[in-house]
Amino acid sequence: MKKLALLAVAVLAVVSCCKVDYKDPNASVEKRVEALLSQMTLEEKVGQMNQFCGIVHVSNMDKKAQADNQDAQGYYPGINADTLRKWTKQGLIGSYLHVLTAEEANELQALAMQSRLGIPLIFGIDAIHGNCLAPDNTAYPTSIGLACSFDTEMAYKIARQTALEMRAMNMHWTFNPNIDVARDARWGRVGETFGEDPYLVGAMGLASVNGYQGDMQGGDDVLACAKHLIAGSQSINGGNSVPTDVSERTLYEVFLPPYELAICEGKVGSLMMAHNEINGVPCHSSKWLMEDVMRKDYGFDGFVVSDWMDIERLHSRHETAESRKEAFYQSIMAGMDMHMHGIYWNEEVVELVKEGRIPMSRIDESVRRILTAKFRLGLFENPYCDIEEGKKVRMCEEHRATALEAAENSIVLLKNDGILPLDVKKYKRVLVTGINADDQNIMGDWSAPQQPENITTILEGLCEMAPNTNFVFVDQGDSPKKMKQENVDKAARLARTTDLNIVVAGETSLRVRKGIKTCGENQDRATIDLFGLQKDLVRKVAASGKPTILIIVAGRPQAVVWEHENLPAIVCAWEPGMYGGKAVAKILYGEVNPSAKLAITVPRHEGQIQMYYNHKKSIKRYRLVDMSTKPLYHFGYGLSYTTYEYSDLQLSKSEISTDENIEASVTIKNTGKRDGVEIAQLYIKDCISSVTRPVMELKGFERVALKAGESKRITFTLTPKHLEYYDLDMNRIVEPGTFKVMVGGSSRKKDLLTAEFVVK
Ligand code: BGC
């Protein structure tokens, strides 16, 4: 009898859930998802779990990649754009990536809306620093520069504006933030990260997630994707997608915390697995990563997407699956929800379900997660964008102003013997040369070339800033790989005729520059000094005897040791985005006082790698025989045109219990003659611990605006969360003992005041 009653309740529940019309915007998302799921065929479900490159991308590939079956480039053998249109209309595709125009997005969406159930597509794109992989969108500085501003509000603002520009062209899902903790300057992708510190990466990542996702209640928000899990930034020799072998402790202490934050506090909607294997297990088949840590430990409830064709690589690269179909099986059973991207998925996954190897419940789980995101983004109600209205949002004045402000705040002054800011009256004839002097390389990776009128190159910025100066330009091409000795020599000759020389050197990372790029995804290096003839260029120009300053435009640290020792000024602009030229010029001529501080250590030489500030004490047991063990520039370092003095560091208590907060207050005075913004940093050290701890760890930072002569007292709060770590048994604890607090303007010992407190 009891059983019968239960059955009746269950039947009623199913019937009442099926009564909900999934198209009813007033029904709850959960009910709409269940109602829709209950009407879907297996083929439609598996299709929701698959993604394809856009039809324009595929058509362009047709020409190039057909010859060598280049499916890795997004070419699908035997399939053309019309097949994709047909499958979309049949409801067999859930998502597209690399659709670059609103017209294409709306066209594909119209097809999806004609499918049996009218499930909208979700369009994903790498909007890493603005949606600038697509034309006519704002290109902000890349993440490494943004991190050097230590400005979480700015990270939020950029993400919010990017979300608006994305929705303005019917894009719903950014494959960002990249919250890899960058620990190897040889790795080509440093530029798309927030640097080497887990705390800073976590804070910037969380702000970005919040900015992208808003309240996830409708038309203004986009889904964020925290990536890449995990630790591909500390791979063997800094190679992209090559194995990473790190301890469980390092994973938990360094690489996982930003994800925990993005999930627990940011409720990030999607996660992307990393190309690499981790400790012998490819990330794309790691149940430990996808299920145990992300879902069970952190409570992740969004969906997991693969990286670009990486499930297939369980078979073709990692050789842990004997066939592609087996690879699909392994990945899905480990927790994968969506496949980026390709043609074999639908057929082979359907087979796996029909063969009884993958239970329908496992498929339902993934589809449920994907549909939930689509409903929450309001795609069923607003499947299209208004193209004309969208043009008013994209690259609007407000967004351009943000791009400029972010660039100004991200440029790090590395050396200045007093030549900067430049005296416009003194330097009348100025040589400007170098691969990045008059080039869109300032936009960095994940940006396509934009309309020239929307970009201010560094040469253009200088000309705008000092219209009466005679700037003599010697072109060195757009890549260090293409430089010619004759142009180097020409610059060297002209350098003797000027009052000042500006060399704009670094790397080439603009996405489309295949073959000539030196930085960006899959552009790893063995060395980290100035690439190729650029070294020669700087030395020869400097040999003119005229003051020579170096501007670096690059997505990774550059070991400019000779340059540091021989040039009067060095400015690191990172990849400052569309208005990078304006920002650099404003800093050089003193209209803006530089404030940024390094979010990553700059080594003297690649042989010092791994080099990061939060290392263990015993790393310095012996000195190197052939060079200093110190970095060229420390984490947190950066100069200004004014000076700051820190004094009177006071702690609110001398003793606390393990569950108490403690406050650290310090006075900062602008002791120079210019107004400025100082980035104050707080580090801690657990003095004696049962497991070794870093010599220092960032646990607080604040941008403090100070007028010339002004003082302010600022206060940092340390909570138990800041003090805890994983003990011998990997339990998170606050261990009693003495803690050191260090506050100052960089991680360099001489820049820090210290105090101590005891945890009882
Ligand atoms: C990158 C991802 C990116 C994807 C789609 C991959 O090669 O590793 O970060 O989101 O391509 O463009």
Side-chain angles (χ1 to χ4, degrees), residues 623-645:
R623 303 194 68 75
L624 290 171
V625 175
D626 51 358
M627 72 170 57
S628 162
T629 42
K630 294 208 172 101
L632 180 57
Y633 303 113
H634 288 71
F635 176 87
Y637 163 88
L639 301 172
S640 157
Y641 295 149
T642 187
T643 44
Y644 303 99
E645 194 180 87

Side-chain angles (χ1 to χ4, degrees), residues 140-149 185 190-193 195 406-407 409-414 436 441-445 458 504-507 509 519 551-558 571-577 580 584 596-603 633-634 637:
Y140 303 90
T142 61
S143 301
I144 189 67
L146 183 55
C148 293
S149 71
V190 169
E192 56 179 293
T193 74
N409 294 347
S410 71
I411 295 171
V412 189
L413 179 59
L414 293 176
N436 291 329
N441 275 336
I442 52 171
M443 290 193 298
D445 195 9
I458 289 173
V504 190
E507 308 233 22
S509 58
C519 193
I551 315 291
I552 300 169
V553 172
R556 64 153 71 80
Q558 308 284 301
V571 172
C572 175
W574 298 112
E575 298 153 322
V584 166
K597 309 259 187 169
L598 290 173
I600 189 163
T601 305
V602 180
Y633 303 113
H634 288 71
Y637 163 88

Side-chain angles (χ1 to χ4, degrees), residues 97-98 125-126 128 133 175 178 189 192 227-228 240 272 275 307-308 310 340 446 511 521-522:
L97 78 159
H98 291 190
I125 193 159
D126 293 275
I128 308 293
L133 205 50
F175 303 134
N178 179 332
R189 304 189 74 167
E192 56 179 293
K227 71 183 187 183
H228 311 80
N240 196 36
M272 189 186 290
H275 292 310
D307 202 344
W308 182 279
D310 274 325
M340 179 197 287
W446 299 108
R511 187 115 277 250
E521 192 185 8
N522 299 326

Side-chain angles (χ1 to χ4, degrees), residues 196-231:
E196 77 184 20
D197 181 72
Y199 183 80
L200 179 60
V201 172
M204 298 299 277
L206 176 61
S208 306
V209 170
N210 288 338
Y212 290 129
Q213 296 195 160
D215 57 7
M216 277 289 281
Q217 294 293 327
D220 281 355
D221 306 324
V222 297
L223 194 71
C225 180
K227 71 183 187 183
H228 311 80
L229 286 145
I230 189 93

Side-chain angles (χ1 to χ4, degrees), residues 729-746:
D729 302 317
M730 293 305 283
N731 295 316
R732 237 191 291 209
I733 58 155
V734 177
E735 200 172 51
T738 304
F739 282 78
K740 190 153 113 183
V741 175
M742 294 155 268
V743 179
S746 95

